[in-house]
Amino acid sequence: MKHIVIIIATFMMSLSLLEIDPVGKIAKANAAKERAEEAFSNGNFEKVIVHYTYLLDSLNYESPKAELNRAHAYFQLKDTVNAFDAYRRVSDAANSQLKSKAMLQMGNLSEMQKEYESALSFYKEALKADPTNNKARYNYELLKKKVQEQDKENQDQNQDQNQDQKDQEKQDQKNKEQQNKENKDSENQKKDENQEKSQEDKKSEEQQQKDDAEKQEGEQNEQDKGREQEQKDKQQQEQKEGEEKKEGKEKEMSPSTKQKLEEMNISEEKAQMILEALRNKESQYFQQLRKKATERPESGKPDW
């Protein structure tokens, strides 16, 4: 801020003096150049800028060399914005050497900002303006090699990235196939387990049905045996009662048996044979009844 105030004050004073003394302008310009060059030699770049600004802006002195030196002072103070603008103004100079130096510095500033394409372009313009500018040639070749190596490195890196991506995609596909295989195996295993379980359930159901049928048949056989035994006991009881009744009748008829036989003109031997035949018939009849009782009645039909 202090420098700006000094520059403005000096500028205002110089305008007033120039209107009065044109001869004094030349003397002041020479004095400003001497002070600027002395400050530059001493490395006092802030004063360099003050004196050259007074010379170029206040005195309106046209000097591409002075403009280039002011640009160098800005560059030394790391004021890259003002430095670049000052070098750009010199790049239009008629002096090819000054133009080449300005282009060289614009290339340096661009390279510092990693604007490599712009820097190469400025270095080429510097060589066009002055082919003997070895610094421009060296910087151009060095930066060109650096850019080529960087491009190759980027290309290799891209190839590595592409290869890594392909490898990753291949691995992902392999993992996907493995996962699909595991899922399919799991589904098949589950299906087999369900099928085995279904078969086991079916066997269990069939066995249960068989057990129920056997149980039902056993119960039916027990019932049939019970009915057969009951029928047999009933027949035996009836037979016993019949025999007891018959014996009672025979005993009751015993006193008159001979008399009746005589009346019927039947001998005792013949009567005994007839009686024996009747007993045989009766025995056959009871046997037939027992046989019919052991036969299982047809389904849906009564036992009688």
Short mmCIF file of all heavy atoms in Angstrom, two decimals, residues 214-227 296-297:
data_model
loop_
_atom_site.label_atom_id
_atom_site.label_comp_id
_atom_site.label_asym_id
_atom_site.label_seq_id
_atom_site.Cartn_x
_atom_site.Cartn_y
_atom_site.Cartn_z
N GLU A 214 -53.68 -103.71 10.07
CA GLU A 214 -53.41 -104.93 10.83
C GLU A 214 -54.11 -104.90 12.19
O GLU A 214 -54.65 -105.92 12.64
CB GLU A 214 -51.90 -105.07 11.04
CG GLU A 214 -51.15 -105.41 9.75
CD GLU A 214 -49.65 -105.49 9.98
OE1 GLU A 214 -49.21 -105.15 11.10
OE2 GLU A 214 -48.93 -105.88 9.05
N LYS A 215 -54.11 -103.70 12.80
CA LYS A 215 -54.80 -103.57 14.08
C LYS A 215 -56.28 -103.83 13.91
O LYS A 215 -56.91 -104.56 14.71
CB LYS A 215 -54.55 -102.18 14.64
CG LYS A 215 -55.18 -101.97 16.01
CD LYS A 215 -54.86 -100.57 16.51
CE LYS A 215 -55.51 -100.34 17.87
NZ LYS A 215 -55.24 -98.96 18.37
N GLN A 216 -56.85 -103.23 12.84
CA GLN A 216 -58.28 -103.41 12.58
C GLN A 216 -58.59 -104.87 12.29
O GLN A 216 -59.61 -105.42 12.75
CB GLN A 216 -58.70 -102.51 11.42
CG GLN A 216 -60.20 -102.53 11.16
CD GLN A 216 -60.58 -101.55 10.06
OE1 GLN A 216 -59.72 -100.92 9.48
NE2 GLN A 216 -61.86 -101.43 9.79
N GLU A 217 -57.67 -105.50 11.50
CA GLU A 217 -57.88 -106.92 11.16
C GLU A 217 -57.78 -107.79 12.42
O GLU A 217 -58.54 -108.74 12.61
CB GLU A 217 -56.84 -107.36 10.14
CG GLU A 217 -57.04 -108.79 9.64
CD GLU A 217 -56.03 -109.15 8.57
OE1 GLU A 217 -55.22 -108.29 8.20
OE2 GLU A 217 -56.07 -110.30 8.10
N GLY A 218 -56.78 -107.41 13.29
CA GLY A 218 -56.63 -108.17 14.54
C GLY A 218 -57.86 -108.04 15.42
O GLY A 218 -58.33 -109.02 16.01
N GLU A 219 -58.36 -106.77 15.48
CA GLU A 219 -59.57 -106.57 16.27
C GLU A 219 -60.75 -107.34 15.68
O GLU A 219 -61.56 -107.93 16.42
CB GLU A 219 -59.89 -105.07 16.33
CG GLU A 219 -58.88 -104.27 17.14
CD GLU A 219 -59.16 -102.80 17.09
OE1 GLU A 219 -60.06 -102.40 16.32
OE2 GLU A 219 -58.47 -102.04 17.82
N GLN A 220 -60.81 -107.35 14.31
CA GLN A 220 -61.88 -108.08 13.66
C GLN A 220 -61.77 -109.58 13.91
O GLN A 220 -62.77 -110.27 14.16
CB GLN A 220 -61.86 -107.81 12.15
CG GLN A 220 -63.01 -108.43 11.37
CD GLN A 220 -64.36 -107.84 11.76
OE1 GLN A 220 -64.46 -106.65 12.01
NE2 GLN A 220 -65.39 -108.68 11.83
N ASN A 221 -60.49 -110.07 13.86
CA ASN A 221 -60.28 -111.51 14.13
C ASN A 221 -60.67 -111.86 15.56
O ASN A 221 -61.25 -112.92 15.81
CB ASN A 221 -58.83 -111.86 13.88
CG ASN A 221 -58.47 -111.80 12.40
OD1 ASN A 221 -59.34 -111.94 11.54
ND2 ASN A 221 -57.19 -111.61 12.10
N GLU A 222 -60.30 -110.93 16.48
CA GLU A 222 -60.67 -111.18 17.87
C GLU A 222 -62.18 -111.22 18.02
O GLU A 222 -62.73 -112.06 18.74
CB GLU A 222 -60.07 -110.09 18.77
CG GLU A 222 -58.56 -110.15 18.91
CD GLU A 222 -58.12 -111.42 19.64
OE1 GLU A 222 -58.88 -111.91 20.48
OE2 GLU A 222 -57.01 -111.89 19.36
N GLN A 223 -62.84 -110.26 17.32
CA GLN A 223 -64.31 -110.26 17.39
C GLN A 223 -64.88 -111.53 16.78
O GLN A 223 -65.83 -112.12 17.32
CB GLN A 223 -64.84 -109.02 16.65
CG GLN A 223 -64.53 -107.70 17.34
CD GLN A 223 -65.02 -106.52 16.55
OE1 GLN A 223 -65.60 -106.67 15.47
NE2 GLN A 223 -64.78 -105.30 17.10
N ASP A 224 -64.29 -111.96 15.61
CA ASP A 224 -64.78 -113.20 14.97
C ASP A 224 -64.57 -114.41 15.87
O ASP A 224 -65.45 -115.28 16.01
CB ASP A 224 -64.06 -113.40 13.63
CG ASP A 224 -64.44 -112.33 12.63
OD1 ASP A 224 -65.47 -111.65 12.84
OD2 ASP A 224 -63.71 -112.16 11.61
N LYS A 225 -63.35 -114.44 16.47
CA LYS A 225 -63.07 -115.55 17.38
C LYS A 225 -64.02 -115.54 18.57
O LYS A 225 -64.49 -116.60 19.01
CB LYS A 225 -61.63 -115.46 17.88
CG LYS A 225 -60.60 -115.83 16.83
CD LYS A 225 -59.20 -115.73 17.40
CE LYS A 225 -58.15 -116.10 16.35
NZ LYS A 225 -56.77 -116.00 16.90
N GLY A 226 -64.30 -114.31 19.06
CA GLY A 226 -65.24 -114.20 20.17
C GLY A 226 -66.61 -114.69 19.78
O GLY A 226 -67.27 -115.42 20.55
N ARG A 227 -67.05 -114.27 18.56
CA ARG A 227 -68.37 -114.73 18.11
C ARG A 227 -68.38 -116.24 17.88
O ARG A 227 -69.35 -116.93 18.18
CB ARG A 227 -68.74 -113.98 16.81
CG ARG A 227 -69.19 -112.53 17.06
CD ARG A 227 -69.91 -111.97 15.85
NE ARG A 227 -69.02 -111.89 14.71
CZ ARG A 227 -68.31 -110.80 14.41
NH1 ARG A 227 -68.41 -109.73 15.18
NH2 ARG A 227 -67.53 -110.79 13.35
N ARG A 296 -66.53 -116.08 7.54
CA ARG A 296 -66.71 -114.62 7.73
C ARG A 296 -67.81 -114.12 6.81
O ARG A 296 -67.83 -114.42 5.63
CB ARG A 296 -65.40 -113.87 7.41
CG ARG A 296 -65.48 -112.36 7.66
CD ARG A 296 -64.18 -111.69 7.41
NE ARG A 296 -63.17 -112.20 8.35
CZ ARG A 296 -61.89 -111.87 8.32
NH1 ARG A 296 -61.47 -111.02 7.41
NH2 ARG A 296 -61.05 -112.38 9.23
N PRO A 297 -68.72 -113.38 7.35
CA PRO A 297 -69.82 -112.86 6.51
C PRO A 297 -69.27 -111.86 5.49
O PRO A 297 -68.28 -111.21 5.73
CB PRO A 297 -70.73 -112.16 7.52
CG PRO A 297 -69.83 -111.82 8.67
CD PRO A 297 -68.84 -112.94 8.74
#
